[in-house]
């Protein structure tokens, strides 16, 4: 984190997101302030709160991607939620505190994975021994047999098997293994919602639940994977994992609240606006800083970074309740994307769409080549369709590209060894009729 200066953060974001310099600059400063805060004396550190960000801009311009890439950059727990989902509480909605429970779960999985990687070599060794024990059980020695000679012969055979195992020569052979699973004593749970409760109960009660042993026939390659996972779980200190996961959420967690404009109330004292304002008031304690109970223990939200986003076509940021507005002091406006931005999005980022399609079809021996005029035509068509129908920003490129290459993707196995040039003429032939008809472009692109 020390090397991640705001400029460096923006450089990293530039690899995946085109334009939106103001937004990148704002999140880079917010992220750097987290590092600066860690260097402060304890007493002052607790007083420095994160400067939450409100992103304003139409869909598909990079709001979510900026937040997601930011979290990935510093290996921070990240969760995205849609604010509008919380207006449906009582129907299919969820309580607002579930945001913190979700990000804690993400953090637990991250930290557990990291700890598991550290013990992977040891776990693999132990798994290997368990498979060898199944293939070649320890012999029982009798007085009539020369015990030392028999042990030597057994070790020699075991080492031969180990060599074959490591070379993958035994992967397809089947063995019977015992699988242990926790059982909830009060019967079978079949309902889908109840299944989630069962999973949670198993995790919470852990060692207190009785175990059921189930015998299963599996390939040796699968047995090695199962045993490695079991041994890794035994080697991991779950108390340490839990403590580290909670600390990571509290100090580096990033929550992205999308569609926050959908819960902005517009002055009515009845109807949907009451529900919207209710969700804002529910969000307020979490954003301000409170303690949420999770199955892993209490989690403080004081220093979690909240990034909210919305198109704000109808509502305005000032339609949010004043207390919530005050908790998002940094406001950045993201601009709409046009033809020039689309050309850059198609070609420049490390994960550019054109690079993806070239690589995908190359796996089947089809050589795709995109000319400059072909790329420009794709970008122009995407812009036209966005203007004619709903403006969904860069997401339009996905639908246009998919339609453009539909026949090539379908017939790829028959086109092996061929080179296909995607130029302006090719794009027009495939898409011009759809673009001309507003009805067709509305439903197809």
């Amino acid at each position: 984190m020390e090397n991640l200066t705001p400029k460096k953060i923006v450089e990293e974001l530039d690899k995946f997101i085109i334009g939106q310099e103001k937004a990148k600059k704002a999140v880079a400063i917010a992220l750097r302030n987290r590092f600066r805060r860690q260097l402060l004396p304890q007493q002052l550190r607790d007083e420095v709160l994160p400067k939450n960000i409100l992103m304003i801009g139409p869909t598909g311009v990079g709001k979510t991607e900026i937040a997601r890439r930011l979290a990935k950059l510093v290996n921070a727990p990240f969760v995205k939620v849609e604010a509008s989902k919380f207006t449906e509480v009582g129907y299919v909605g969820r309580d607002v505190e579930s945001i913190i429970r979700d990000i804690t779960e993400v953090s637990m999985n991250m930290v557990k994975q990291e700890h598991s990687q550290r013990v992977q070599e040891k776990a693999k060794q132990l798994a290997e021994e368990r498979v060898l024990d199944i293939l070649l059980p320890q012999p029982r020695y009798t007085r009539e047999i020369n015990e030392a000679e028999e042990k030597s012969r057994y070790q020699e055979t075991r080492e031969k098997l180990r060599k074959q195992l490591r070379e993958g020569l035994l992967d397809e052979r089947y063995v019977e293994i015992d699988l242990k699973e926790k059982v909830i004593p009060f019967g079978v749970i079949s309902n889908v919602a109840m299944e989630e409760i069962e999973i949670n109960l198993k995790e919470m009660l852990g060692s207190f639940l009785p175990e059921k042993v189930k015998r299963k026939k599996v390939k040796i390659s699968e047995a090695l994977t199962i045993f490695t996972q079991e041994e890794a779980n035994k080697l991991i200190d779950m108390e340490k994992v839990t403590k580290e996961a909670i600390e990571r959420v509290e100090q580096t967690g990033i929550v992205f609240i999308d569609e926050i404009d959908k819960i902005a109330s517009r002055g009515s004292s009845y109807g949907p606006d009451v529900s919207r304002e209710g969700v804002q008031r529910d969000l307020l304690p979490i954003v301000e800083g409170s303690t949420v109970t999770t199955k892993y223990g209490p989690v403080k939200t004081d220093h979690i970074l909240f990034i909210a986003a919305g198109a704000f076509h109808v509502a305005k940021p000032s339609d949010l309740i004043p207390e919530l507005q005050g908790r998002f002091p940094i406001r950045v406006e993201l601009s709409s994307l046009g033809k020039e931005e689309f050309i850059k999005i198609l070609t420049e980022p490390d994960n550019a769409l054109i690079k993806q399609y070239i690589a995908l079809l190359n796996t089947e021996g089809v050589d795709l080549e995109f000319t400059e005029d072909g790329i420009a035509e794709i970008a122009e068509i995407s812009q036209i369709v966005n203007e004619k129908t709903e403006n969904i920003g860069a997401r339009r490129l996905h639908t246009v590209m998919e339609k453009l290459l539909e026949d090539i993707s379908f017939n790829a196995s028959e086109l092996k060894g061929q080179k296909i040039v995607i130029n302006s003429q090719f794009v027009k032939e495939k898409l011009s009729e759809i673009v001309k008809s507003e009805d067709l472009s509305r439903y197809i692109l």
Side-chain angles (χ1 to χ4, degrees), residues 52-98:
N52 298 321
I53 301 163
L54 179 63
M55 292 185 183
I56 302 157
T59 185
V61 295
K63 300 189 294 291
T64 309
E65 194 63 11
I66 287 171
R68 186 180 284 118
R69 291 288 171 187
L70 193 71
K72 205 169 182 181
L73 199 56
V74 290
N75 199 27
F78 171 82
V79 73
K80 178 196 171 186
V81 293
E82 289 174 13
S84 53
K85 290 275 165 69
F86 299 103
T87 59
E88 300 158 11
V89 171
Y91 300 95
V92 292
R94 307 165 69 201
D95 72 293
V96 169
E97 286 191 349
S98 65

Side-chain angles (χ1 to χ4, degrees), residues 86-116:
F86 299 103
T87 59
E88 300 158 11
V89 171
Y91 300 95
V92 292
R94 307 165 69 201
D95 72 293
V96 169
E97 286 191 349
S98 65
I99 297 170
I100 305 305
R101 289 193 281 273
D102 288 348
I103 196 171
T104 306
E105 195 68 52
V106 168
S107 188
M108 276 295 292
N109 290 336
M110 282 174 74
V111 176
K112 193 176 175 185
Q113 183 69 28
E114 287 168 18
H115 281 245
S116 181

